[in-house]
Amino acid sequence: MNKRTRTQLILEFLVDIVCLALANIISIFIFSDVFHRIPHFGNDEWSRYFFTLAMAFLIIFLGFHRSINIQSRNRSREISSLFINTTLTYALFSVAIVLLKNPIVESRYMLLSGYVFFVLLSMIGRYFLKRYLTGFFTKSKIASYVGIITTSDRAEDFVKSIDADWSLNIRGVVLLDNFVSGNAFRFNPYEEVYGISSPFVPATKLSSFPEAVLDHPVVAVDESFLDWVRSSPLDDVFINLPYSDDSEIQQLIEELEDMGITVHVNIPMLDDILEASKFNNINCKIQYGSPMATFEASTKNSVLLSLKRVSDIILGLIGCVLSLPIILVTAIPLKLESKGPLFFKQQRVGKNGRLFYIYKLRSMYEDAEKRKQELMEKNQMDGFMFKMENDPRITKVGRVIRKLSIDELPQFFNVLKGDMSLIGTRPPTVDEFNQYESRHKRRLSMRPGITGLWQVSGRSEVNDFEEVVKLDCKYIDNWSIALDISIFFKTIVVVLTRKGAE
């Protein structure tokens, strides 16, 4: 299930459940309070009535729901689908309340009006849902950020097809006309700086390129396009280039795949590339009018990912409530010891390069960032991260709250916002990210977390950045709900025993 299908399914579920609730509330108000056609029933009967209705709705939606792609469905098919879904829901519900002998079954006004209002409200809800998805969603943060690599003669039609997908936000177009001759394309990431070797002279070498394709900016026409891909917040890259031999494009795919980006490429022949793929998570199908193969470093169950996000919202809210009194108590000695704000805000790099501000309780002196450069020679970490034993920038109160992980509590707000997850990978600073090689970016292919595999593996004992990358990629490749639960309980043990705390 791709992101577009998953998002539409979730939003249709929310719209339908809200419409179902409103339909019954309106029915009760009209036929009980206004026309007095529904006799008085006790709270127990109404509770069983709504519980049975909710269960019927869930069963039909999860098992028999008829969903049609909003981009292609017409009005008659949409109305037909809606009638089938609502009729099945009320048919199952009617059978259930008869079997359960709920006295409300005798009120035909409640059943019929609830069904009619559900149909009408669902029509209205689907109309506004379609308007939302095809209008606002593409520009929102939830949409997938994509880059396009193609040639001028293919660009307009290809970009137009992708632009029609409301779940995708095109961030830029790369035109590589000058590196294609006939059906030959050459790419070698080991020459120069991500350079392209071109041992032939193109039939027609272009001296100028359009600044935009269908209002989407042309971001590169030379070897600098890989620098743009590496530094941009991209979830997917779509490649549509003329070539006849897989070897001509294989290195380009591997370079992008190493970044953890999902790659879609037009492939005339798949055999060699299937064997060369490092992760073997390849999905081949017709996309936007062309045969495409999708390469992913790891595949995830979209339903389980949705469950993970729901859990994050619930636990994030609970975490915010429970953290408030602890933060208020901690604020007194923290503010008395040193001047500066209570909260520390720093720009970090999240999923696939998205920037966000992480929040912590301030555990360092106010000039900590300025003093960091003076201490770089004492860095105990091999690689791009900074770690120093007895860091002089940390206050006395800061050492205590770090040992107890109290400084991390404001990150529950980041979890609620969706910038972070409760369990995930470590979000790097912008300075760290700017030094990344392509393969390092793969550790950002899942939403970062407050805690993760690195934190429960003795973070104070891990002094090699490559080991951090290895642990993060291990988490991504083996992710499951069970793994998150295991890390959650291990985190509790680590916090209580202060094992591995920095």
Side-chain angles (χ1 to χ4, degrees):
M1 185 184 295
N2 59 31
K3 185 169 187 175
R4 182 181 68 242
T5 304
R6 181 175 73 250
T7 302
Q8 182 179 320
L9 186 66
I10 293 172
L11 292 177
E12 282 184 353
F13 174 85
L14 294 175
V15 168
D16 284 353
I17 197 71
V18 169
C19 290
L20 182 62
L22 288 176
N24 282 270
I25 291 171
I26 293 172
S27 296
I28 293 172
F29 174 75
I30 293 177
F31 292 102
S32 179
D33 297 342
V34 179
F35 293 107
H36 306 289
R37 295 290 184 178
I38 300 176
H40 176 75
F41 295 106
N43 291 334
D44 289 341
E45 283 81 9
W46 281 116
S47 297
R48 287 191 288 119
Y49 177 92
F50 282 108
F51 178 79
T52 307
L53 180 58
M55 290 300 101
F57 171 79
L58 283 173
I59 291 171
I60 295 302
F61 190 92
L62 297 176
F64 305 94
H65 179 72
R66 292 168 58 89
S67 182
I68 304 173
N69 185 358
I70 280 179
Q71 286 179 255
S72 60
R73 67 186 181 188
N74 55 40
R75 187 169 299 176
S76 61
R77 292 182 64 194
E78 186 169 349
I79 293 174
S80 172
S81 173
L82 187 147
F83 266 108
I84 292 172
N85 291 336
T86 53
T87 301
L88 285 174
T89 297
Y90 263 84
L92 178 60
F93 170 61
S94 299
V95 172
I97 60 174
V98 168
L99 294 176
L100 296 173
K101 298 181 179 179
N102 190 312
I104 302 179
V105 71
E106 299 176 7
S107 176
R108 62 184 183 276
Y109 289 99
M110 187 64 201
L111 289 175
L112 292 175
S113 62
Y115 171 76
V116 171
F117 283 127
F118 185 31
V119 171
L120 294 176
L121 289 173
S122 292
M123 287 182 181
I124 297 172
R126 296 298 179 87
Y127 170 78
F128 284 104
L129 174 62
K130 185 173 182 178
R131 291 283 300 272
Y132 166 77
L133 290 176
T134 56
F136 172 77
F137 189 95
T138 302
K139 300 176 183 178
S140 73
K141 290 183 178 180
I142 312 174
S144 292
Y145 291 179
V146 304
I148 298 173
I149 300 176
T150 185
T151 54
S152 297
D153 58 333
R154 298 173 176 228
E156 186 168 340
D157 289 339
F158 192 51
V159 171
K160 184 177 181 180
S161 296
I162 296 176
D163 211 17
D165 188 337
W166 50 262
S167 67
L168 303 180
N169 184 332
I170 299 175
R171 309 296 289 179
V173 180
V174 174
L175 299 178
L176 299 182
D177 299 60
N178 289 337
F179 303 102
V180 176
S181 178
N183 288 328
F185 172 81
R186 293 289 184 269
F187 174 77
N188 186 347
Y190 304 106
E191 289 189 12
E192 303 175 357
V193 182
Y194 297 136
I196 294 180
S197 64
S198 184
F200 54 83
V201 178
T204 303
K205 187 175 179 65
L206 299 182
S207 58
S208 63
F209 290 84
E211 294 183 359
V213 177
L214 298 179
D215 297 327
H216 298 291
V218 174
V219 294
V221 296
D222 53 26
E223 58 268 24
S224 66
F225 78 92
L226 263 181
D227 289 325
W228 172 76
V229 173
R230 187 189 62 79
S231 62
S232 299
L234 298 178
D235 301 306
D236 300 72
V237 169
F238 289 85
I239 301 174
N240 190 350
L241 293 170
Y243 65 98
S244 57
D245 189 346
D246 339 3
S247 62
E248 297 168 359
I249 202 167
Q250 179 177 317
Q251 289 178 313
L252 173 57
I253 295 170
E254 289 178 356
E255 188 73 9
L256 296 173
E257 194 181 12
D258 276 345
M259 297 183 195
I261 294 173
T262 299
V263 183
H264 311 265
V265 58
N266 64 311
I267 303 178
M269 297 179 294
L270 288 173
D271 292 342
D272 292 341
I273 295 182
L274 283 169
E275 294 176 3
S277 173
K278 293 182 179 180
F279 304 104
N280 294 318
N281 295 318
I282 304 174
N283 181 31
C284 307
K285 58 184 177 181
I286 300 297
Q287 287 185 292
Y288 312 109
S290 299
M292 307 289 286
T294 299
F295 294 76
E296 293 183 88
S298 58
T299 57
K300 301 290 182 296
N301 185 307
S302 57
V303 175
L304 293 181
L305 283 175
S306 299
L307 180 60
K308 177 180 172 71
R309 179 60 191 143
V310 171
S311 301
D312 280 339
I313 293 172
I314 295 172
L315 294 174
L317 184 60
I318 294 173
C320 286
V321 174
L322 295 180
S323 298
L324 185 58
I326 300 175
I327 292 174
L328 292 176
V329 171
T330 306
I332 299 172
L334 197 153
K335 293 289 287 183
L336 288 175
E337 182 184 10
S338 62
K339 65 178 182 178
L342 175 63
F343 296 102
F344 171 72
K345 183 178 77 168
Q346 184 185 47
Q347 197 170 54
R348 293 289 184 99
V349 183
K351 183 179 178 183
N352 290 327
R354 288 170 170 80
L355 297 177
F356 71 98
Y357 282 100
I358 194 172
Y359 299 96
K360 293 186 178 185
L361 282 176
R362 181 175 57 82
S363 59
M364 292 185 172
Y365 292 103
E366 198 173 18
D367 61 346
E369 286 298 310
K370 296 179 181 178
R371 295 172 60 187
K372 181 178 178 181
Q373 292 300 321
E374 303 171 7
L375 302 170
M376 286 301 295
E377 61 182 21
K378 298 180 180 180
N379 185 13
Q380 296 173 317
M381 200 76 179
D382 296 329
F384 307 138
M385 293 169 58
F386 178 84
K387 186 173 71 173
M388 176 184 174
E389 189 175 353
N390 298 321
D391 192 331
R393 301 174 301 159
I394 303 176
T395 65
K396 293 179 180 179
V397 176
R399 295 190 189 281
V400 175
I401 64 175
R402 282 193 171 202
K403 282 285 185 182
L404 299 174
S405 296
I406 292 174
D407 62 318
E408 311 281 353
L409 294 179
Q411 290 175 45
F412 282 115
F413 180 65
N414 287 114
V415 173
L416 274 182
K417 287 177 62 182
D419 296 324
M420 296 178 67
S421 176
L422 193 67
I423 314 292
T425 59
R426 175 191 172 275
T429 64
V430 176
D431 288 341
E432 291 172 14
F433 177 71
N434 288 337
Q435 301 177 69
Y436 275 12
E437 297 176 19
S438 296
R439 58 191 175 84
H440 294 141
K441 190 177 180 180
R442 192 165 80 84
R443 65 185 294 265
L444 302 177
S445 54
M446 279 190 74
R447 189 180 278 119
I450 295 178
T451 185
L453 195 58
W454 170 61
Q455 288 88 335
V456 299
S457 300
R459 63 185 181 186
S460 63
E461 300 173 3
V462 178
N463 294 316
D464 189 350
F465 173 72
E466 295 297 337
E467 184 65 23
V468 175
V469 174
K470 182 179 178 181
L471 288 169
D472 283 342
C473 290
K474 180 180 178 181
Y475 170 78
I476 292 169
D477 292 339
N478 298 282
W479 178 81
S480 67
I481 294 295
L483 179 59
D484 273 4
I485 293 173
S486 173
I487 293 174
F488 177 78
F489 284 108
K490 285 181 179 179
T491 300
I492 294 176
V493 173
V494 168
V495 171
L496 293 178
T497 61
R498 290 185 255 176
K499 181 181 179 182
E502 294 178 289

